[in-house]
Amino acid sequence: MEWESLSKNNKILLMTLIPLMLIVLFTSVYLLPNLDTINKLKKEKASLQEEIDKANLIVNKYEELKLLNAELQKKMDFLKTLLPKETEVTDVLKKVSEIGLQKGLVITSWKPRDKQIHSSNEVYEIPVEVGMRGKYHTFGIFFADITNIQRILNIKKMEIRRGDKDPTMLNATLIAVTYSLIPDEEKQKIQQKKK
């Protein structure tokens, strides 16, 4: 079949049909499979961008949390200085008696009690029962001075009675309590017992 022998309509048809077939062939072989890949890649890109945004938020929060952690660590270190080590507990409790003696109180009894686990399960409560005798104002000065001890110390219980022979003298019995951190090994044992 010769080109010149074809009618004008057939020539136009052939001229449009061949490029059209090439376009269909290109589209079906190359473009359509790649469109699926392109769409998948766009979705992956969107999900990766979302993960990057989340990671950036975490990085920004990390710096804030790092500063907050440093502040809390300083506070924790300060609070630990207020808790005597177990070896210092006796000295802290004896200081209560020493202050009483310095102020003019007479120590009539000193009875250490067994340490107990505080409800927080973080510290031991270490009590001592102290009996004292002295004048009203002397007790006031004594209680004011024990607030200056640089350790955590509580007066948990206190009984004050009038003196038998001298009504101006008071007899007091108080339970002074200080605290000591529970070592990690002992904390683990306590937690195991509770389980």
Side-chain angles (χ1 to χ4, degrees):
M1 182 157 85
E2 289 184 27
W3 178 257
E4 291 160 3
S5 63
L6 294 173
S7 70
K8 187 177 180 181
N9 286 341
N10 285 341
K11 285 181 184 179
I12 292 172
L13 183 65
L14 276 176
M15 288 178 71
T16 56
L17 188 61
I18 291 174
L20 191 60
M21 285 176 51
L22 288 174
I23 290 172
V24 168
L25 183 65
F26 172 79
T27 304
S28 64
V29 172
Y30 180 74
L31 190 61
L32 288 178
N34 286 335
L35 279 177
D36 288 340
T37 306
I38 290 170
N39 287 335
K40 286 178 185 176
L41 289 173
K42 283 182 180 178
K43 288 178 183 176
E44 283 182 35
K45 179 187 174 193
S47 92
L48 287 174
Q49 187 61 48
E50 192 175 305
E51 286 181 34
I52 289 170
D53 292 342
K54 286 179 184 177
N56 285 335
L57 284 173
I58 291 170
V59 167
N60 293 338
K61 288 249 183 207
Y62 172 75
E63 291 302 321
E64 291 174 26
L65 291 173
K66 197 173 169 184
L67 290 172
L68 180 63
N69 185 39
E71 287 177 31
L72 291 174
Q73 192 62 46
K74 285 179 187 176
K75 286 181 183 178
M76 179 73 97
D77 291 342
F78 172 73
L79 291 174
K80 282 183 180 178
T81 64
L82 296 178
L83 286 173
K85 294 180 177 75
E86 203 161 345
T87 56
E88 300 173 330
V89 168
T90 306
D91 294 336
V92 172
L93 293 172
K94 282 183 182 177
K95 191 158 185 111
V96 172
S97 298
E98 289 172 10
I99 292 172
L101 289 171
Q102 289 170 359
K103 299 304 168 196
L105 295 174
V106 175
I107 307 300
T108 57
S109 67
W110 173 272
K111 297 176 191 169
R113 292 188 173 181
D114 293 333
K115 65 183 176 185
Q116 300 169 350
I117 299 171
H118 186 267
S119 60
S120 68
N121 292 327
E122 296 292 324
V123 293
Y124 284 123
E125 286 186 354
I126 304 168
V128 65
E129 184 177 322
V130 181
M132 299 178 158
R133 188 174 63 236
K135 301 243 181 219
Y136 176 81
H137 291 292
T138 310
F139 275 107
I141 295 168
F142 164 74
F143 288 121
D145 282 357
I146 64 170
T147 61
N148 295 326
I149 295 176
Q150 292 296 312
R151 300 289 187 183
I152 297 175
L153 179 75
N154 289 332
I155 304 299
K156 200 165 192 175
K157 182 178 177 185
M158 183 170 60
E159 290 179 20
I160 298 177
R161 297 172 307 284
R162 188 176 68 198
D164 296 334
K165 297 177 184 175
D166 183 358
T168 62
M169 293 295 277
L170 298 175
N171 291 317
T173 304
L174 56 97
I175 297 175
V177 179
T178 191
Y179 303 87
S180 175
L181 283 174
I182 299 173
D184 290 334
E185 303 90 39
E186 291 182 37
K187 270 190 213 177
Q188 290 173 354
K189 288 178 186 176
I190 292 168
Q191 289 172 351
Q192 288 174 353
K193 282 183 183 179
K194 286 189 175 189
K195 288 180 183 177

